[in-house]
Amino acid sequence: MLFTPDSIVKARRALFVQMEAGTLTRERAFQQALELDPFDVVALIVLGQERYAAGDLAGAAEYSWRAASADPCRHEPWFKLCGCLPGESQEFRNGLMELGALKALRDPEGLEQFKETFKDKPMAAEFADGEEFLETTADVFHASRRDEPEDVSERLRPYRLIDDLLETAEDGLNGDLVDGILEDGARCGPLLIGVLRAMATGTLPVGHPAPIVCSLALLGEIGDPAVLPELIECYPVEEQVIQAAAHWALKRVASRRPGESFEAIRKLAPGADAEGRYDLALAVSFVPDQSGKRDFLLSLLDGLAGFPKSHRHELFMSVALALEYSEGAKGRELAWSLLSRHSAVLPKRTRAALRDAFKVHHEMDLAASDGKPPEATVYDLCGRAWDEDEEDEEDQDDDDNSFDDDEDADEEDDQDDDFIPEPMHRGVTLGRNDPCWCGSGKKYKKCHLESDEKSRPGPPSPDETPKEGAHLGSNAEESELRKRLIEFATSALRKRELEEALRTFVGSEPPAGADDETFSMETVDWLIHDCVPPRLEHPIIQEFLKRSPGGLTMRQRQTLEAWSRARYSIFEVQEVRQGSGVRLKDLLVGGELFVYDRNTAKRAALWDCYLARVEEFDNRHVFTAAVMTIPQPLVAPLKEWAIGAQQRSGLSWDDFLRANSHKMRQEASRLINRGADSTRVVSFEGDELVFSRARYAVQDEDAVRHALDQSKSFEPDEDRAGYGWLNETEDATGGRRAFGHVHIAGGELTLECSTRQRLERGKALLQFLAGDQLRHLDDDFTSWQSAMRDRTPSTDPPKGSRLPPEVERELVQKVLEEHYRKWPDTPLMALDGRTPREAMATPEGRAQVVDLLKSLQNGEEHKRGDGLAWYDVSKLKAALGIGS
């Protein structure tokens, strides 16, 4: 209860009369007042003073704590607590004194009382007045927090959070403060209601609604249906911005816990007057469809004739509009029938008013087809800055989107640091007549119902073959969900947090094994699943689930939970099923699984090894993002590193892999870089070989060709399709070194070079020769390792070869057959000079031979896939007695 009903006001007056007459003691009078209202702050403060005067420090402390929670704006309980808790540490009492001083500074009446008390104190001579003393006290004790024990900070945390809200609400709460209150919602909730109570009793020290709006928004986000009575009490408040915040908060609670919310509202109906029933009708309209909702709305009209005439019209209109909001056309039809039933007790204007209201709502639905901003979040409501000269009568809508028209936030990094946007999301379970989840303002049935039903996946058939690229994200709804999650991941972190996260993932060495685009995909995948920002203390995907509890369908929530369970590990290909996927063995955790991925199956070969994340949903496994291929010679050292690190950590494999997936990626880069150093491929200038390409749109092809023809650096091809970019001077052999090639066709010019450095020089040269006729489109780069791995087989013989390809493959095949026929009895350095057949005599040697054959077979399988001559390694296995 926020606003004191007349019955309690009269009872308090009667108690005061008895106390003045001497028939009730002061303490007994206020005890009875507390029985009327257990949150009567004045009664709590007075009873605390009475107990303190009687020497009952424990009793005084109990009443003071209750007063501090009932109204967090009052300073008296905090100063009283300092004298009631002699057994507490000095640090704890310092914290109490700081809170008392801060609250007294914000309360003009309290400040005057303190000054009056302070002026006769000996220390008054050291300060200009009591206000200066309070400010100094607050500053000193605030500074002492640095050395404060952790248990003291924890006990005072909710009170300090709410005091920070009162102090900074006018300028907008920062994200850390909002997060802190939400994380400690169980303890902060009663204090937030205390702020609302301060508004109702007139003790709120500020003259604008910011603390109330923030408190309402936070209560809505905490989501406890027990606060609904207080939220509904804020509906009649004159300030429209407070009404809108109360509507938003109730809608937020109801969307997350609809059943409990409906019951909480229904319990308020008995004994409610006409005005109370208005508010209940509006409140229940925000609750998603519940059994008995219509009956409850109809029950609010029971006894309509018994209410004053001035209230009947408003009550009927509130019920009628709630029916329309809840049931659409059916609700309107029911409203008209109710009008006929109750027409005898309603004024004539009700019919015209109902018709006009329905007409206005219809026009609003049509206007909303152009779209409207997404629903405000708790960060929007709490982060709003309030101008000192802002008028209470500002032009705002009554609904929960009143905050969407605020001025655009400053785009400077400093201010953006404390804002965490929440993605637009759907309702829990939308009815046909509910507003659509997309924010268009249309009803769901007229907007996204049909498309949602078409995109909603049915249960997969056990023997269904997935389509190309089929995985969790192939469905339109799940693709959109993944997009929302990625957008949330990159926006939920502040700039410095994101930079720190990227440094953590990349590590100290340059990343290897993937091009820039693929590595970016790996980074985002880690950021979503495994990165734990210190401020959040859990991965981003869990934060997304936490922030969108009422904005996800059951299917979306199940999908997100499946993604959150995805397993990151080293996987080895055991079988390739073309057109379907690959069967993998987890080399760290153990076990096998089949991953549906036709693209991987196209390029995979037996014994390929991947560093990847696999998720399971609807009894199917898929890769979450980029798959990193680990070269066979590097698999053993990477596996050895992981096993050693896991054993040293003392964590289970699941916990270890989640906490160290980025370190595994770094170790893979380190191994690749170390292996690549010995086979580094460079250009004549000593630059690393990276196949580089720049694309341009051509404005005037003839002008570009003319410019290149005039340059000594470009030599036209015989067919004039392109130009070779050559060194202008000849070398000792009389030739000119080639730097790159230009191709012109279809309105585009492409410059291709073998290093990044040459590409930049070539781009500068093209800009100089024909820059006014060219518009740069993009650049892309491919490492020589990737180019070799992704090479496509050619049906033509190598340059300079005069043999037909089929003859050449036959000759190579014979050479391979002869080489591997002798292989089992050939001494090998990899086996310490032993032959494979000799090594098979010991368990250690046998394991070495098996690994060698895996590597051989993997390479030969890739040759076969490329259409090249290859050797069937199963013959070697048979010769050595190794099963397939």
Side-chain angles (χ1 to χ4, degrees):
M1 179 176 64
L2 303 179
F3 296 91
T4 308
D6 289 342
S7 59
I8 292 183
V9 173
K10 291 178 182 179
R12 285 176 179 170
R13 289 174 181 167
L15 290 172
F16 180 77
V17 170
Q18 294 179 58
M19 185 178 68
E20 288 293 298
T23 57
L24 271 182
T25 64
R26 176 181 170 87
E27 184 170 3
R28 183 56 187 155
F30 281 102
Q31 284 176 344
Q32 290 188 23
L34 203 58
E35 292 170 5
L36 295 171
D37 178 5
F39 296 100
D40 185 333
V41 180
V42 174
L44 289 167
I45 291 174
V46 169
L47 290 171
Q49 293 170 345
E50 291 292 313
R51 290 291 85 211
Y52 183 81
D56 180 8
L57 298 185
E62 179 186 352
Y63 282 121
S64 297
W65 279 121
R66 289 174 61 184
S69 296
D71 185 346
C73 300
R74 302 292 292 253
H75 63 278
E76 301 95 323
W78 299 98
F79 291 132
K80 184 61 64 180
L81 283 168
C82 291
C84 294
L85 303 170
E88 292 288 354
S89 65
Q90 185 60 49
E91 293 85 356
F92 187 73
R93 291 200 299 275
N94 289 348
L96 299 177
M97 181 62 76
E98 180 196 2
L99 284 165
L102 290 171
K103 295 176 189 298
L105 283 168
R106 286 194 294 268
D107 183 356
E109 183 178 340
L111 185 57
E112 288 303 317
Q113 292 175 0
F114 188 84
K115 287 180 179 180
E116 185 65 26
T117 305
F118 171 80
K119 66 180 182 180
D120 296 327
K121 302 293 183 182
M123 66 182 71
E126 300 178 22
F127 298 95
D129 58 19
E131 184 172 1
E132 182 182 349
F133 173 67
L134 282 174
E135 290 175 347
T136 303
T137 299
D139 291 342
V140 168
F141 289 140
H142 184 81
S144 70
R145 289 191 193 181
R146 291 192 300 265
D147 303 318
E148 187 176 80
E150 185 175 344
D151 67 308
V152 170
S153 300
E154 179 61 23
R155 290 171 64 187
L156 294 176
R157 183 171 185 260
Y159 302 100
R160 285 171 170 170
L161 288 170
I162 301 306
D163 199 75
D164 288 344
L165 179 152
L166 293 169
E167 180 68 27
T168 63
E170 185 177 358
D171 297 323
L173 308 188
N174 64 46
D176 282 344
L177 180 54
V178 173
D179 289 338
I181 294 173
L182 294 178
E183 289 167 6
D184 209 348
R187 294 194 295 171
C188 289
L191 300 175
L192 292 170
I193 294 176
V195 176
L196 303 184
R197 189 175 293 110
M199 169 197 67
T201 58
T203 60
L204 195 67
V206 291
H208 53 74
I212 307 305
V213 171
C214 293
S215 297
L216 287 167
L218 289 161
L219 286 168
E221 190 69 17
I222 290 169
D224 186 354
V227 306
L228 294 186
E230 284 78 14
L231 300 184
I232 294 171
E233 278 193 84
C234 293
Y235 281 12
V237 175
E238 290 183 3
E239 289 91 341
Q240 289 186 342
V241 69
I242 293 179
Q243 292 179 18
H247 295 167
W248 182 93
L250 189 142
K251 189 175 182 180
R252 186 78 170 130
V253 175
S255 68
R256 297 162 70 179
R257 296 167 69 175
E260 295 172 70
S261 298
F262 180 51
E263 288 303 317
I265 295 171
R266 186 154 57 179
K267 289 179 181 178
L268 300 175
D273 59 13
E275 292 178 335
R277 293 189 184 191
Y278 307 160
D279 299 331
L280 294 180
L282 177 58
V284 83
S285 68
F286 291 142
V287 179
D289 289 341
Q290 294 291 309
S291 175
K293 180 177 175 180
R294 173 189 281 194
D295 292 340
F296 174 73
L297 283 169
L298 296 180
S299 73
L300 296 178
L301 295 177
D302 291 347
L304 182 63
F307 292 114
K309 289 183 179 180
S310 59
H311 292 167
R312 296 174 195 169
H313 169 79
E314 297 296 337
L315 176 55
F316 179 84
M317 289 295 295
S318 66
V319 171
L321 297 179
L323 287 168
E324 182 206 22
Y325 185 84
S326 300
E327 301 184 25
K330 288 184 179 180
R332 287 193 294 272
E333 293 173 5
L334 180 57
W336 285 118
S337 66
L338 289 172
L339 180 63
S340 299
R341 185 187 311 170
H342 296 286
S343 59
V345 298
L346 290 171
K348 292 181 179 180
R349 64 187 176 95
T350 303
R351 179 175 295 277
L354 190 61
R355 182 178 60 251
D356 291 345
F358 287 163
K359 181 180 179 180
V360 169
H361 290 179
H362 176 68
E363 291 173 350
M364 290 173 63
D365 285 345
L366 294 177
S369 60
D370 294 334
K372 69 174 184 177
E375 182 178 339
T377 69
V378 66
Y379 296 95
D380 296 331
L381 273 62
C382 292
R384 173 180 181 175
W386 300 75
D387 296 331
E388 291 182 2
D389 58 349
E390 188 171 13
E391 298 292 336
D392 289 340
E393 295 80 21
E394 55 191 354
D395 183 18
Q396 298 192 45
D397 296 330
D398 283 345
D399 61 16
D400 50 66
N401 289 319
S402 299
F403 305 88
D404 295 332
D405 297 325
D406 293 341
E407 295 181 359
D408 293 336
D410 194 326
E411 294 182 358
E412 294 182 7
D413 289 340
D414 290 347
Q415 295 190 8
D416 284 346
D417 272 356
D418 291 321
F419 180 75
I420 303 178
E422 183 176 12
M424 178 179 67
H425 43 249
R426 309 183 178 193
V428 182
T429 304
L430 290 180
R432 291 170 54 82
N433 295 301
D434 286 338
C436 187
W437 55 264
C438 71
S440 67
K442 294 182 179 180
K443 294 191 184 300
Y444 184 43
K445 65 184 179 183
K446 294 182 180 180
C447 197
H448 274 85
L449 174 61
E450 183 177 354
S451 62
D452 281 357
E453 288 181 342
K454 286 181 179 179
S455 67
R456 190 172 292 120
S461 170
D463 43 347
E464 174 189 355
T465 299
K467 296 180 180 179
E468 182 71 31
H471 56 78
L472 283 177
S474 64
N475 172 271
E477 183 180 4
E478 289 160 356
S479 294
E480 179 62 24
L481 181 62
R482 191 178 291 277
K483 179 182 177 182
R484 282 172 53 189
L485 179 58
I486 293 173
E487 290 174 349
F488 180 81
T490 54
S491 62
L493 296 180
R494 301 167 185 170
K495 181 179 179 181
R496 60 180 177 273
E497 290 177 323
L498 187 58
E499 291 173 350
E500 180 61 30
L502 295 179
R503 284 194 293 269
T504 299
F505 183 72
V506 174
S508 59
E509 291 195 17
D515 56 32
D516 292 345
E517 182 179 355
T518 303
F519 188 73
S520 295
M521 292 172 62
E522 292 183 63
T523 306
V524 173
D525 187 60
W526 171 80
L527 193 67
I528 290 172
H529 290 87
D530 293 342
C531 176
V532 181
R535 181 168 55 90
L536 301 180
E537 298 181 348
H538 48 251
I540 290 291
I541 193 168
Q542 293 182 21
E543 183 69 11
F544 183 71
L545 279 162
K546 171 186 171 184
R547 294 197 186 281
S548 306
L552 299 171
T553 63
M554 182 62 70
R555 173 77 181 184
Q556 289 171 330
R557 177 166 289 280
Q558 291 172 345
T559 302
L560 285 167
E561 289 173 348
W563 292 346
S564 70
R565 295 190 297 269
R567 181 200 303 181
Y568 189 83
S569 191
I570 308 173
F571 297 96
E572 183 183 69
V573 175
Q574 307 294 299
E575 177 188 5
V576 179
R577 298 182 195 171
Q578 293 299 328
S580 180
V582 290
R583 183 166 58 86
L584 303 176
K585 178 181 179 181
D586 190 327
L587 295 184
L588 298 178
V589 182
E592 295 188 2
L593 47 87
F594 188 86
V595 172
Y596 289 90
D597 194 311
R598 293 179 65 181
N599 289 329
T600 298
K602 286 180 181 179
R603 60 178 182 269
L606 195 63
W607 313 125
D608 272 354
C609 285
Y610 305 135
L611 193 58
R613 191 184 311 276
V614 175
E615 63 194 19
E616 180 183 5
F617 192 62
D618 286 348
N619 297 318
R620 293 190 172 211
H621 290 93
V622 295
F623 294 118
T624 64
V627 174
M628 179 183 181
T629 301
I630 305 297
Q632 265 291 336
L634 304 184
V635 173
L638 181 60
K639 180 181 176 182
E640 182 179 353
W641 174 89
I643 292 173
Q646 185 265 340
Q647 290 175 346
R648 290 189 296 273
S649 72
L651 299 173
S652 66
W653 269 116
D654 185 61
D655 291 339
F656 171 80
L657 292 172
R658 288 187 183 280
N660 295 277
S661 58
H662 63 294
K663 293 183 179 179
M664 287 187 64
R665 181 61 176 86
Q666 293 167 15
E667 180 64 14
S669 287
R670 189 186 70 80
L671 291 170
I672 291 172
N673 286 331
R674 188 177 65 185
D677 286 343
S678 60
T679 56
R680 189 167 181 260
V681 181
V682 298
S683 68
F684 176 84
E685 297 90 350
D687 300 318
E688 184 178 2
L689 195 67
V690 177
F691 297 110
S692 309
R693 181 176 66 176
R695 290 194 313 121
Y696 294 85
V698 178
Q699 305 295 331
D700 186 335
E701 183 174 320
D702 290 339
V704 172
R705 288 184 178 277
H706 178 73
L708 298 184
D709 288 337
Q710 299 303 308
S711 172
K712 295 181 180 180
S713 297
F714 291 96
E715 187 75 27
D717 298 339
E718 291 183 5
D719 57 3
R720 296 286 297 176
Y723 294 80
W725 174 29
L726 308 174
N727 195 342
E728 291 187 8
T729 58
E730 297 180 350
D731 58 20
T733 65
R736 297 168 63 190
R737 184 177 303 113
F739 294 135
H741 186 268
V742 169
H743 181 75
I744 305 176
E748 282 195 5
L749 179 149
T750 304
L751 169 64
E752 296 179 325
C753 302
S754 57
T755 70
R756 292 174 180 266
Q757 292 78 4
R758 286 182 178 178
L759 186 74
E760 291 304 316
R761 288 166 48 204
K763 287 168 63 178
L765 182 58
L766 288 173
Q767 180 66 31
F768 174 76
L769 294 173
D772 57 339
Q773 301 297 331
L774 299 174
R775 179 169 58 85
H776 182 255
L777 297 176
D778 57 42
D779 298 336
D780 65 70
F781 305 93
T782 304
S783 67
W784 69 269
Q785 297 98 326
S786 297
M788 292 295 291
R789 183 169 59 249
D790 299 334
R791 67 191 184 281
T792 55
S794 173
T795 56
D796 298 327
K799 188 175 181 180
S801 172
R802 298 179 181 178
L803 294 175
E806 62 275 9
V807 175
E808 185 172 358
R809 279 196 298 273
E810 183 178 351
L811 291 175
V812 174
Q813 194 78 46
K814 288 182 179 179
V815 172
L816 290 174
E817 293 286 345
E818 179 62 20
H819 171 76
Y820 284 115
R821 184 181 64 81
K822 302 175 182 178
W823 190 84
D825 299 304
T826 301
L828 302 175
M829 291 182 61
L831 299 176
D832 299 324
R834 294 174 296 172
T835 68
R837 205 181 302 277
E838 291 170 343
M840 289 289 292
T842 65
E844 295 80 8
R846 182 182 179 88
Q848 288 179 301
V849 172
V850 169
D851 286 341
L852 273 177
L853 290 176
K854 272 190 179 182
S855 185
L856 283 176
Q857 190 171 19
N858 180 248
E860 295 303 314
E861 289 292 325
H862 277 289
K863 289 181 184 177
R864 181 171 70 163
D866 289 346
L868 304 175
W870 66 287
Y871 180 76
D872 185 358
V873 176
S874 63
K875 297 177 182 178
L876 287 177
K877 290 184 176 181
L880 293 169
I882 299 175
S884 58

